[in-house]
Each structure stands twice: as structure tokens, then as C-alpha cells.
Amino acid sequence: MFCISINHKNTPADVRERFAFTTKGQRQFTERLKAEVGGCVVLSTCNRMEIYFTDKYEQVEKLLANDREVPVSLIRRYSMNYEGFQCVLHLCRVACGMDSMVLGEVEIIHQVKSAYLMAKELGACDGELNIAFQGALAAAKAVATESDATRLPISVGTLSAREAVSFIRNTSVGRVLVVGATGRIGSIVVKDIADLAPDIEITGTSRSHHSADEVFGRHQQIRIEDYSRRYELAAWADVIISATASPHYTFVRDELAEAVKMHHKRRLFLDLAMPKDIDPSVSEVDGCVLRDIDYIRTLSRENNESRAKTITEMEPWLISQVDEIMKNIAFSRFNREHGDVMAQLKMTDGAKLVYKLKGQLEYEAFEKVLAGMAADDFEGC
């Protein structure tokens, strides 16, 4: 099993943006990979793009380069690459929020699960990937419900909400526009701002016909407007947050400049999307301050420092979970490739012995046992 990862650790936002997939693009690329290389899962979030697959490494690199219209050398410059045990360990760390820009965030669990379910739906998730992702999601669920690492969860959405409230308290009366308010990140931002500052007026945009009560319930200071009114609403707002999955900019410079020219004041734009939602030249419009997803990294440092020790202490437990996943993968592969041997074992007490060894041995030792059973000189039980 392999992973090609392009993530926030060593790749700037402008490069990550070139590898980010919309949901539609993620689906199409998964189908393309499946047709060419077999088993694969494609994960794309605001901080990472990762491909998990079980064969043909160089072919996957080429397909990714062609799809993103970049040279393979760019992938090799920025990608972090994992294989075997380290690949599954990385997947578990990602799913558990231990590799996130904001350590301990829980949103990533849903993103990993969505990528896995998409691959399953498309018939792209083979047996080994199925075992790996189910194991990683089980570990993530345990961390989310039992560990101090995700207690009082902090996320990109939460940190953005705090930044919005801080900006308003220092500069103006209190009006926030959230474009994509009914999406996963947008809804977190809206609810957190409402909880932090009940006096702040919040307007969210949506392309669907949701009412504020349907989406946000008890939060009375929230209203939902149609997405088409976003420029008009931006002129009204003090903070504009955009968190959509749109393949196009939600705000471009010239249209924004025209919309706000009669309403002179300082505005904060927070772009939480990847690919970016907001035209970078919006920062050239008078009074507009634009921050992108990498700015959130600076806001997350205090959170990360407080959680780093807890996450380090969890590492031995996580390795034990990965060891179990790897044994399940090895046993599944053995059953698939050496069904005749297993048939012989099941006719005696040999199968019970194998299961007992699986429970007692670590992955590497158990894999050697399976290799010995599959050897040409195996004579039955």
C-alpha cells in the first residue's frame, strides 16, 4: 500500500491549490485511477491532497501530473510518500487529527470517511484499502470520544470564528457575512461566532433554499440570503468569510470594488477554501484585508503546543492499532492468494493455531509465519 501526500507541512497554499479537487473532480479522478491502476482512495481537504493506492506507483504519479497539468517533478518536489506500515500509520494519524494543521481537529474524520465511501461507491476501494480505512476510522472514533487530544475541539472553523470576533471587537459594530454558511466549515463558523458573540449580526449565503431555523435552530441573529446577493452583502459586512466548494471565485476584485465603493470601511476577508474562493487581488481594494487558509496556521500554534504532548503520548497506542490493521491486511492477502493452504488448515486444528498466532504476534512476526506457510515446501498439516 502506498500514499502520495501533498500537505500543509511542506507545501505552500498556492501549490496545494493546484492539487486540490472539487467533489466532482475528486470523483472523476478516482474513476480514472481505478481504471488505470485498480484500488485507490483520493482525499482532498483545504490542507492536503492524498492518494492511497495498492499498486503502480509511477503510473499514479503520471496520472496525477496529467490531471493537474503539472510536471511530475513538481509532485516529487513537494510530496511526502509512504509505503506499507508507514502508509497505514500515516492514514491513522491523518484520520485521528494528529497530522492536521490544527492538532486534534475532528472535522478530518468526516473528510476521510467521505473519501473512503466515495471510493467504495465507485468500486475503487479494494480489500486492503477497505481494511486500512475501516481500521483508521475506528481508531479516529476512539480518539474523538475518549482522548484529551480532541476535548474542547478546535478546528479551522473555530479559529476563524475567533478571528472574526476579534477583528470586529477592535474595529467596528459587528456584521459578518459567511458565504457557504450551510456547508461543513461554514456552518461551524456561523455557530461558533453566534456562541462567542450573540450581539454580532450574521448573514449566511446558500445556493439552496434553507431557512436559518432549519440549519441553525436556536441562533436568532442569523439569516440566510441567496448566494447571488453576496456582493451587496459584502458592502454591508465587516468580516466576510468564504468556505465553499465552488470551482470559481466567489469574489473578484473589480466587482467587489464596485460594490463597496460607497461604503468605505476596513473589512476582513477570510478565505477558508482550497482551491481558493477569493481572488487574491481583492487585497488591493481599499480597506480590504485578505487572509487565506495558511494564516490559520499562525492562529493554531497555541492550540498545537497544548495538545502536542498528549498526541505524542498516544503514539504507542496508535502504533498498536496499525499493527493490528497490518496483520488483518496480511491475513486477508494470504487467504486470497493461498486459499488452498487455508482449506487444508481448516480441516485440522491448524486454522485455530493461525488465529492464535495472529492475536499474540506482532505484524512482522505474523507475516513471517504466513510467508513460511505459503512457501513451496509447505506439506500440509
Side-chain angles (χ1 to χ4, degrees):
M1 188 178 301
F2 304 93
C3 173
I4 295 174
S5 174
I6 295 174
N7 61 63
H8 65 93
K9 287 187 172 181
N10 65 342
T11 308
D14 61 329
V15 177
R16 293 203 309 275
E17 186 174 14
R18 300 178 72 177
F19 292 94
F21 287 96
T22 63
T23 301
K24 181 179 179 181
Q26 181 183 3
R27 175 178 289 272
Q28 291 173 337
F29 187 59
T30 301
E31 290 180 319
R32 194 170 302 128
L33 281 177
K34 174 199 168 187
E36 296 285 339
V37 304
C40 62
V41 177
V42 179
L43 172 65
S44 184
T45 76
C46 57
N47 289 320
R48 67 181 67 246
M49 188 291 301
E50 297 185 338
I51 307 171
Y52 295 87
F53 55 102
T54 49
D55 199 8
K56 301 182 181 178
Y57 189 95
E58 291 186 359
Q59 181 72 358
V60 172
E61 275 189 329
K62 291 177 183 177
L63 288 167
L64 177 61
N66 290 338
D67 187 87
R68 300 288 89 186
E69 298 182 347
V70 300
V72 171
S73 59
L74 186 70
I75 297 172
R76 291 176 179 173
R77 178 180 177 184
Y78 287 106
S79 66
M80 302 175 74
N81 308 302
Y82 304 92
E83 181 179 356
F85 190 99
Q86 292 302 317
C87 175
V88 178
L89 178 59
H90 175 72
L91 170 60
C92 288
R93 288 177 58 82
V94 169
C96 292
M98 296 166 66
D99 197 66
S100 297
M101 180 183 291
V102 182
L103 290 179
E105 62 140 334
V106 294
E107 292 163 22
I108 189 66
I109 300 174
H110 306 292
Q111 293 165 326
V112 171
K113 185 175 182 179
S114 293
Y116 165 58
L117 292 178
M118 178 185 289
K120 280 195 71 176
E121 177 192 340
L122 296 173
C125 192
D126 63 21
E128 295 187 14
L129 287 168
N130 195 53
I131 293 169
F133 272 82
Q134 286 189 2
L137 289 167
K141 183 178 180 181
V143 170
T145 56
E146 300 172 18
S147 169
D148 288 338
T150 54
R151 237 174 268 292
L152 299 176
I154 300 293
S155 68
V156 167
T158 304
L159 292 171
S160 301
R162 292 179 180 180
E163 184 72 2
V165 172
S166 175
F167 180 88
I168 285 173
R169 293 290 184 247
N170 290 329
T171 62
S172 54
V173 294
R175 294 169 174 172
V176 176
L177 170 65
V178 181
V179 180
T182 57
R184 186 180 299 281
I185 300 294
S187 61
I188 292 172
V189 173
V190 169
K191 291 173 183 176
D192 284 349
I193 293 174
D195 287 336
L196 287 168
D199 58 314
I200 288 179
E201 205 175 337
I202 306 169
T203 295
T205 72
S206 174
R207 294 180 187 271
S208 56
H209 301 289
H210 294 292
S211 70
D213 287 344
E214 286 177 308
V215 182
F216 302 110
R218 63 184 175 83
H219 299 290
Q220 298 301 311
Q221 79 266 41
I222 302 167
R223 64 190 173 112
I224 298 291
E225 298 285 354
D226 191 80
Y227 173 79
S228 63
R229 295 191 61 210
R230 64 195 182 281
Y231 283 103
E232 174 190 346
L233 295 166
W236 160 88
D238 304 294
V239 176
I240 298 91
I241 300 170
S242 194
T244 78
S246 171
H248 309 292
Y249 287 142
T250 55
F251 293 100
V252 296
R253 184 186 67 175
D254 292 346
E255 290 185 49
L256 179 70
E258 180 66 23
V260 304
K261 66 181 182 181
M262 302 300 293
H263 306 272
H264 297 292
K265 61 179 174 179
R266 192 164 180 261
R267 293 178 177 83
L268 172 65
F269 284 78
L270 290 176
D271 187 347
L272 306 184
M274 185 62 67
K276 291 177 182 175
D277 266 356
I278 302 175
D279 176 2
S281 62
V282 158
S283 62
E284 299 170 7
V285 177
D286 187 39
C288 294
V289 178
L290 175 61
R291 308 293 190 197
D292 66 15
I293 192 69
D294 276 357
Y295 176 71
I296 303 300
R297 179 182 294 184
T298 65
L299 304 181
S300 68
R301 285 174 184 162
E302 183 178 343
N303 166 78
N304 288 354
E305 289 170 3
S306 67
R307 296 179 185 221
K309 182 179 179 182
T310 299
I311 286 175
T312 299
E313 291 171 349
M314 289 171 54
E315 194 77 6
W317 172 84
L318 192 67
I319 289 173
S320 72
Q321 302 304 299
V322 174
D323 195 82
E324 193 62 32
I325 293 169
M326 293 300 294
K327 285 192 289 185
N328 289 336
I329 289 174
F331 196 38
S332 173
R333 186 185 304 128
F334 180 83
N335 273 302
R336 185 175 65 253
E337 296 176 355
H338 303 284
D340 55 336
V341 175
M342 280 305 299
Q344 293 180 57
L345 289 169
K346 288 176 181 177
M347 295 173 64
T348 68
D349 288 336
K352 292 181 180 178
L353 176 60
V354 173
Y355 282 106
K356 185 175 182 179
L357 291 172
K358 180 175 177 290
Q360 293 180 343
L361 297 176
E362 293 185 352
Y363 161 64
E364 289 187 358
F366 182 64
E367 190 175 43
K368 288 178 181 178
V369 168
L370 294 179
M373 289 173 15
D376 290 341
D377 60 351
F378 177 77
E379 297 180 355
C381 302

